């Protein structure tokens, strides 16, 4: 599933080809995504793209009269084609640009979304989202204040979009490991020092992933290439039974809030 670093990598990959360019028309081959593709998007013609932004895991294409909001769902991806090329089975949407380039959306599982909004302030999918993890608002002090009295285990609590956006299962596992914190601990039980370290660790891990993603940006221009997701360097996620890189003990796995949770009992407390 695309997580925040992949979405940010996608944004950086498509932005140079879209911002300042003009959407000539939109070709929707299959509108049955998680929700039906908005009518307004299907009817767009000769619309300049003012900017390509991101909020949480949503890509936001700013047009003159409103916004196209794209969510990649479980398996969605975007790439830029330099010329017309025949769509494959799961290529559901093309934005055909005035300079001949095409932004192509591929989504085998069709859990993604293409929605229109006249006004982002009133957009229901973006309402109630917590701060961006890489913003200054998200820091140790914010997280510490918010975590007092919270009895929820720290890992599912961190993955709650109202607390902070974009910390998905992979990054919650990795950040708690690097910060030496057991995922099952109630949020309130973390010391101030632990919470500050955790906030910094989340930022570091996300930044490093986005940097790694940057090396795959060329893929956005390969018509036959794979989407711009990248192999991530992971310490514990998906590594049940493998040896902990810090101490050599076996990595354990449990379900926590129905999500696979990986940790080292020796290194995390
Ligand atoms: Zn260990």
């Amino acid at each position: 599933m695309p997580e925040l670093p992949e979405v940010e990598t996608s944004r950086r990959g498509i932005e140079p080809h879209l911002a300042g360019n003009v959407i000539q028309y939109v070709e929707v081959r299959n509108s049955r995504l998680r929700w039906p593709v908005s009518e307004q998007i299907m009817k767009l013609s000769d619309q300049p793209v003012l900017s390509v932004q991101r909020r949480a895991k949503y890509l936001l294409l700013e047009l003159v009269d409103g916004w196209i909001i794209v969510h990649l769902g479980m398996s969605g991806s975007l790439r830029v084609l330099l010329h017309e090329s025949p769509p494959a089975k799961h290529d559901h949407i093309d934005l055909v640009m005035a300079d001949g380039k095409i932004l192509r959306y591929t989504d085998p599982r069709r859990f993604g979304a293409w929605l229109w909004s006249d006004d982002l302030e009133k957009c229901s999918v973006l309402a109630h989202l917590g701060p961006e993890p890489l913003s200054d608002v998200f820091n140790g002090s914010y997280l510490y204040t918010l975590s007092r009295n919270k009895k929820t285990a720290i890992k599912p609590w961190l993955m709650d979009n109202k607390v902070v956006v974009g910390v998905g299962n992979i990054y919650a596992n990795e950040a708690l490991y690097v910060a030496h914190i057991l995922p099952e601990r109630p949020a309130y039980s973390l010391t101030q020092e632990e919470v500050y370290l955790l906030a910094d660790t989340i930022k570091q891990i996300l930044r490093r992933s986005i940097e790694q993603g940057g090396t795959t940006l060329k893929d956005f221009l390969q018509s036959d290439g794979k989407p711009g997701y990248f192999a991530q360097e992971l310490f514990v996620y998906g590594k049940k039974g493998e040896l902990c890189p810090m101490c050599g003990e076996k990595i354990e796995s449990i379900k926590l809030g129905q999500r696979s949770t990986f940790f080292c009992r020796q290194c995390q407390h």
Side-chain angles (χ1 to χ4, degrees), residues 244 247 264 266-267:
C244 166
C247 76
C264 171
Q266 189 94 328
C267 295

Side-chain angles (χ1 to χ4, degrees), residues 177 243-251 263-268:
Y177 171 75
L243 303 184
C244 166
M246 288 199 265
C247 76
E249 279 295 310
K250 277 193 176 154
I251 292 165
F263 60 96
C264 171
R265 215 170 269 287
Q266 189 94 328
C267 295
Q268 292 167 258

Side-chain angles (χ1 to χ4, degrees), residues 215-231:
T215 62
T216 70
L217 283 182
K218 61 180 180 349
D219 291 337
F220 283 87
L221 271 174
Q222 292 176 342
S223 61
D224 54 350
K226 288 186 183 155
Y229 304 148
F230 35 96

Side-chain angles (χ1 to χ4, degrees), residues 10-11 13-23 47-52 60-63 68 70 78-81 95 97 99 101-104 114:
S10 298
R11 190 194 69 74
I14 65 176
E15 184 188 33
H17 306 286
L18 263 69
N21 204 341
V22 173
I23 299 172
Q47 289 288 317
V49 180
L50 305 180
S51 70
V52 181
L60 310 172
L61 276 52
E62 183 187 6
L63 310 186
I68 300 175
V70 179
L78 290 164
R79 64 194 196 278
V80 176
L81 312 182
L95 294 189
M97 309 304 292
D99 66 353
K101 287 176 188 163
I102 293 171
L103 179 74
R104 180 158 284 176
W114 280 64

